[in-house]
Amino acid sequence: SLLAEGIHEFQWSPKANIIACWSPEQNNSPAHVDLIELPTRKKLRQKNLFNVNKCSMVWHEDGDYLAVKVTRHTKSKKTLYNNIELFRLNESGIPVEMLDIKDAVMSLVWEPRGSRFAMIHAENPSSTKVDVSFYDMMKKVPESTIAMNKKGGSKKNQQKQMISVAELNKIETLEGKQCNVLFWSPAGSTILMASLGDSASGTLEFYDVDNKNLVVKEHYRANQVLWDPAGRTVATCVSQPVEGGHFKFAMDNGYILWSFQGKQLYQQSFETFYQFLWRPRESLLSKSEIEKVKKNLKKYEKQFEKADKERQRALYLEETKGKREERRRYRDMLVRLRELRREQKPRHIELLD
């Protein structure tokens, strides 16, 4: 057991034996967020917070980061404002960075494979037009490296290489969006900004954070979004409660399958439709193996390009097999005709004489 006086909420780390919990202000003690290791009950980190109205915690999928959305109030308690406390659990001492947000934050979601997160915010929480901001816990900065020549190891030239350092940085903000929920692809990079619910527009915006590509689609009255485990396909659904009863949007029941690029792949409607689930898949590669693949991607690209060329060559030969057979028969016929003409030439000359 663990003694935690006044605790309001706790959450387990997705990977490690660590509990994150927060307690409001009590007597003369400030509110605080605690990270506690189990079974040793060692308190790894405590962050004191003042003028706190409410906290909500969001873990990174791999347990590398923890975001705590803190809703604070002024001394008069008439005005509320937000800030995000960001914990780096993989670094010594678990440093904490604070991100001030003037707007109300309605949603915050971590990228599954990476260090980025996205959040929906607006000046008015009930606003139909919101902003979506993207941040990265790691910042890429140039590093000067000296390239040595092959002969004597002397300075030849300097090249700028990019390295990642632990520093929070803002990537961009997309303004005027009609969304109320965010869904990162399990593969990372792509995010689906969706407007779900009975009174929502059903707008679906597929956004590639790396390449800045945006595709806008629509699924009217959609109330569910489910990515497949590989992150290549996503399903949007209109489903009714399994408890039964009257469902006034039964005519819209069904699902649509989309590619991660926003292309519609398939659509199916049902008179009654309750639930949609993807079959779970175990990850074939560990995090270190994925990083190794990324590091040697160019080498693998050459292998795959060679295999693709061989496959294309085999396919081409199979498709042109009939044409090549006709060409061979035509050439054989020309050879026979030339031979016949050569044999008959003396006879033709004799007849002319």
PDB file of all heavy atoms in Angstrom, residues 151-168:
ATOM      1  N   LYS A 151      44.690  11.355 -46.248  1.00  0.00           N
ATOM      2  CA  LYS A 151      46.148  11.261 -46.201  1.00  0.00           C
ATOM      3  C   LYS A 151      46.705  11.509 -44.800  1.00  0.00           C
ATOM      4  O   LYS A 151      47.295  10.658 -44.181  1.00  0.00           O
ATOM      5  CB  LYS A 151      46.763  12.246 -47.187  1.00  0.00           C
ATOM      6  CG  LYS A 151      46.475  11.883 -48.638  1.00  0.00           C
ATOM      7  CD  LYS A 151      47.182  12.845 -49.582  1.00  0.00           C
ATOM      8  CE  LYS A 151      46.915  12.461 -51.033  1.00  0.00           C
ATOM      9  NZ  LYS A 151      47.593  13.368 -51.975  1.00  0.00           N
ATOM     10  N   GLY A 152      46.559  12.690 -44.296  1.00  0.00           N
ATOM     11  CA  GLY A 152      47.236  13.018 -43.045  1.00  0.00           C
ATOM     12  C   GLY A 152      46.340  13.341 -41.890  1.00  0.00           C
ATOM     13  O   GLY A 152      46.820  13.609 -40.797  1.00  0.00           O
ATOM     14  N   GLY A 153      45.039  13.327 -42.071  1.00  0.00           N
ATOM     15  CA  GLY A 153      44.160  13.645 -40.968  1.00  0.00           C
ATOM     16  C   GLY A 153      44.115  15.129 -40.656  1.00  0.00           C
ATOM     17  O   GLY A 153      43.814  15.532 -39.547  1.00  0.00           O
ATOM     18  N   SER A 154      44.448  15.991 -41.583  1.00  0.00           N
ATOM     19  CA  SER A 154      44.404  17.437 -41.355  1.00  0.00           C
ATOM     20  C   SER A 154      43.006  17.957 -41.610  1.00  0.00           C
ATOM     21  O   SER A 154      42.169  17.271 -42.191  1.00  0.00           O
ATOM     22  CB  SER A 154      45.392  18.148 -42.291  1.00  0.00           C
ATOM     23  OG  SER A 154      45.053  17.886 -43.628  1.00  0.00           O
ATOM     24  N   LYS A 155      42.746  19.183 -41.195  1.00  0.00           N
ATOM     25  CA  LYS A 155      41.436  19.783 -41.396  1.00  0.00           C
ATOM     26  C   LYS A 155      41.231  20.044 -42.888  1.00  0.00           C
ATOM     27  O   LYS A 155      42.011  20.725 -43.516  1.00  0.00           O
ATOM     28  CB  LYS A 155      41.315  21.093 -40.616  1.00  0.00           C
ATOM     29  CG  LYS A 155      41.363  20.903 -39.117  1.00  0.00           C
ATOM     30  CD  LYS A 155      41.219  22.237 -38.420  1.00  0.00           C
ATOM     31  CE  LYS A 155      41.297  22.074 -36.916  1.00  0.00           C
ATOM     32  NZ  LYS A 155      41.161  23.350 -36.204  1.00  0.00           N
ATOM     33  N   LYS A 156      40.161  19.522 -43.393  1.00  0.00           N
ATOM     34  CA  LYS A 156      39.880  19.710 -44.810  1.00  0.00           C
ATOM     35  C   LYS A 156      38.724  20.683 -45.013  1.00  0.00           C
ATOM     36  O   LYS A 156      38.824  21.638 -45.733  1.00  0.00           O
ATOM     37  CB  LYS A 156      39.559  18.365 -45.456  1.00  0.00           C
ATOM     38  CG  LYS A 156      39.431  18.433 -46.975  1.00  0.00           C
ATOM     39  CD  LYS A 156      39.204  17.048 -47.542  1.00  0.00           C
ATOM     40  CE  LYS A 156      39.108  17.100 -49.046  1.00  0.00           C
ATOM     41  NZ  LYS A 156      38.885  15.765 -49.624  1.00  0.00           N
ATOM     42  N   ASN A 157      37.622  20.436 -44.363  1.00  0.00           N
ATOM     43  CA  ASN A 157      36.491  21.348 -44.410  1.00  0.00           C
ATOM     44  C   ASN A 157      35.598  21.078 -43.209  1.00  0.00           C
ATOM     45  O   ASN A 157      35.798  20.120 -42.477  1.00  0.00           O
ATOM     46  CB  ASN A 157      35.706  21.221 -45.718  1.00  0.00           C
ATOM     47  CG  ASN A 157      35.239  19.806 -45.962  1.00  0.00           C
ATOM     48  OD1 ASN A 157      35.302  18.962 -45.073  1.00  0.00           O
ATOM     49  ND2 ASN A 157      34.768  19.545 -47.160  1.00  0.00           N
ATOM     50  N   GLN A 158      34.657  21.917 -42.999  1.00  0.00           N
ATOM     51  CA  GLN A 158      33.718  21.767 -41.902  1.00  0.00           C
ATOM     52  C   GLN A 158      32.318  21.596 -42.462  1.00  0.00           C
ATOM     53  O   GLN A 158      31.921  22.299 -43.375  1.00  0.00           O
ATOM     54  CB  GLN A 158      33.769  22.979 -40.965  1.00  0.00           C
ATOM     55  CG  GLN A 158      35.029  23.020 -40.125  1.00  0.00           C
ATOM     56  CD  GLN A 158      34.940  24.094 -39.039  1.00  0.00           C
ATOM     57  OE1 GLN A 158      34.097  24.963 -39.101  1.00  0.00           O
ATOM     58  NE2 GLN A 158      35.813  23.993 -38.070  1.00  0.00           N
ATOM     59  N   GLN A 159      31.584  20.641 -41.885  1.00  0.00           N
ATOM     60  CA  GLN A 159      30.225  20.377 -42.307  1.00  0.00           C
ATOM     61  C   GLN A 159      29.285  20.548 -41.126  1.00  0.00           C
ATOM     62  O   GLN A 159      29.640  20.250 -39.993  1.00  0.00           O
ATOM     63  CB  GLN A 159      30.092  18.954 -42.865  1.00  0.00           C
ATOM     64  CG  GLN A 159      30.914  18.718 -44.126  1.00  0.00           C
ATOM     65  CD  GLN A 159      30.790  17.295 -44.611  1.00  0.00           C
ATOM     66  OE1 GLN A 159      30.343  16.431 -43.883  1.00  0.00           O
ATOM     67  NE2 GLN A 159      31.184  17.064 -45.846  1.00  0.00           N
ATOM     68  N   LYS A 160      28.113  21.017 -41.412  1.00  0.00           N
ATOM     69  CA  LYS A 160      27.108  21.198 -40.385  1.00  0.00           C
ATOM     70  C   LYS A 160      26.202  19.968 -40.332  1.00  0.00           C
ATOM     71  O   LYS A 160      25.577  19.613 -41.318  1.00  0.00           O
ATOM     72  CB  LYS A 160      26.268  22.442 -40.667  1.00  0.00           C
ATOM     73  CG  LYS A 160      27.040  23.754 -40.567  1.00  0.00           C
ATOM     74  CD  LYS A 160      27.377  24.082 -39.128  1.00  0.00           C
ATOM     75  CE  LYS A 160      28.047  25.453 -39.029  1.00  0.00           C
ATOM     76  NZ  LYS A 160      28.379  25.809 -37.650  1.00  0.00           N
ATOM     77  N   GLN A 161      26.143  19.316 -39.178  1.00  0.00           N
ATOM     78  CA  GLN A 161      25.252  18.195 -38.971  1.00  0.00           C
ATOM     79  C   GLN A 161      24.247  18.567 -37.893  1.00  0.00           C
ATOM     80  O   GLN A 161      24.546  19.337 -36.995  1.00  0.00           O
ATOM     81  CB  GLN A 161      26.022  16.941 -38.557  1.00  0.00           C
ATOM     82  CG  GLN A 161      26.917  16.389 -39.663  1.00  0.00           C
ATOM     83  CD  GLN A 161      27.578  15.087 -39.247  1.00  0.00           C
ATOM     84  OE1 GLN A 161      27.535  14.711 -38.079  1.00  0.00           O
ATOM     85  NE2 GLN A 161      28.178  14.404 -40.202  1.00  0.00           N
ATOM     86  N   MET A 162      23.046  17.989 -38.001  1.00  0.00           N
ATOM     87  CA  MET A 162      21.989  18.295 -37.054  1.00  0.00           C
ATOM     88  C   MET A 162      21.946  17.232 -35.968  1.00  0.00           C
ATOM     89  O   MET A 162      21.968  16.032 -36.249  1.00  0.00           O
ATOM     90  CB  MET A 162      20.636  18.363 -37.767  1.00  0.00           C
ATOM     91  CG  MET A 162      20.570  19.376 -38.914  1.00  0.00           C
ATOM     92  SD  MET A 162      20.952  21.066 -38.410  1.00  0.00           S
ATOM     93  CE  MET A 162      19.477  21.431 -37.450  1.00  0.00           C
ATOM     94  N   ILE A 163      21.930  17.688 -34.720  1.00  0.00           N
ATOM     95  CA  ILE A 163      21.797  16.791 -33.585  1.00  0.00           C
ATOM     96  C   ILE A 163      20.590  17.222 -32.756  1.00  0.00           C
ATOM     97  O   ILE A 163      20.162  18.376 -32.814  1.00  0.00           O
ATOM     98  CB  ILE A 163      23.071  16.769 -32.712  1.00  0.00           C
ATOM     99  CG1 ILE A 163      23.354  18.171 -32.154  1.00  0.00           C
ATOM    100  CG2 ILE A 163      24.252  16.239 -33.480  1.00  0.00           C
ATOM    101  CD1 ILE A 163      24.461  18.181 -31.113  1.00  0.00           C
ATOM    102  N   SER A 164      20.044  16.301 -31.979  1.00  0.00           N
ATOM    103  CA  SER A 164      18.873  16.593 -31.154  1.00  0.00           C
ATOM    104  C   SER A 164      19.297  16.858 -29.719  1.00  0.00           C
ATOM    105  O   SER A 164      20.092  16.109 -29.144  1.00  0.00           O
ATOM    106  CB  SER A 164      17.882  15.417 -31.187  1.00  0.00           C
ATOM    107  OG  SER A 164      17.366  15.237 -32.488  1.00  0.00           O
ATOM    108  N   VAL A 165      18.783  17.925 -29.147  1.00  0.00           N
ATOM    109  CA  VAL A 165      19.042  18.272 -27.752  1.00  0.00           C
ATOM    110  C   VAL A 165      17.708  18.373 -27.027  1.00  0.00           C
ATOM    111  O   VAL A 165      16.670  18.649 -27.628  1.00  0.00           O
ATOM    112  CB  VAL A 165      19.827  19.600 -27.632  1.00  0.00           C
ATOM    113  CG1 VAL A 165      21.198  19.474 -28.255  1.00  0.00           C
ATOM    114  CG2 VAL A 165      19.056  20.752 -28.265  1.00  0.00           C
ATOM    115  N   ALA A 166      17.749  18.122 -25.719  1.00  0.00           N
ATOM    116  CA  ALA A 166      16.527  18.148 -24.913  1.00  0.00           C
ATOM    117  C   ALA A 166      16.108  19.590 -24.646  1.00  0.00           C
ATOM    118  O   ALA A 166      16.536  20.222 -23.681  1.00  0.00           O
ATOM    119  CB  ALA A 166      16.755  17.405 -23.605  1.00  0.00           C
ATOM    120  N   GLU A 167      15.271  20.102 -25.525  1.00  0.00           N
ATOM    121  CA  GLU A 167      14.767  21.466 -25.384  1.00  0.00           C
ATOM    122  C   GLU A 167      13.406  21.569 -26.057  1.00  0.00           C
ATOM    123  O   GLU A 167      13.235  21.168 -27.206  1.00  0.00           O
ATOM    124  CB  GLU A 167      15.743  22.460 -26.022  1.00  0.00           C
ATOM    125  CG  GLU A 167      15.307  23.908 -25.884  1.00  0.00           C
ATOM    126  CD  GLU A 167      16.272  24.878 -26.537  1.00  0.00           C
ATOM    127  OE1 GLU A 167      17.447  24.512 -26.755  1.00  0.00           O
ATOM    128  OE2 GLU A 167      15.852  26.008 -26.849  1.00  0.00           O
ATOM    129  N   LEU A 168      12.431  22.082 -25.316  1.00  0.00           N
ATOM    130  CA  LEU A 168      11.085  22.228 -25.860  1.00  0.00           C
ATOM    131  C   LEU A 168      11.061  23.308 -26.923  1.00  0.00           C
ATOM    132  O   LEU A 168      11.588  24.403 -26.729  1.00  0.00           O
ATOM    133  CB  LEU A 168      10.113  22.585 -24.735  1.00  0.00           C
ATOM    134  CG  LEU A 168       8.656  22.822 -25.148  1.00  0.00           C
ATOM    135  CD1 LEU A 168       8.025  21.532 -25.658  1.00  0.00           C
ATOM    136  CD2 LEU A 168       7.847  23.381 -23.978  1.00  0.00           C
TER     137      LEU A 168
END
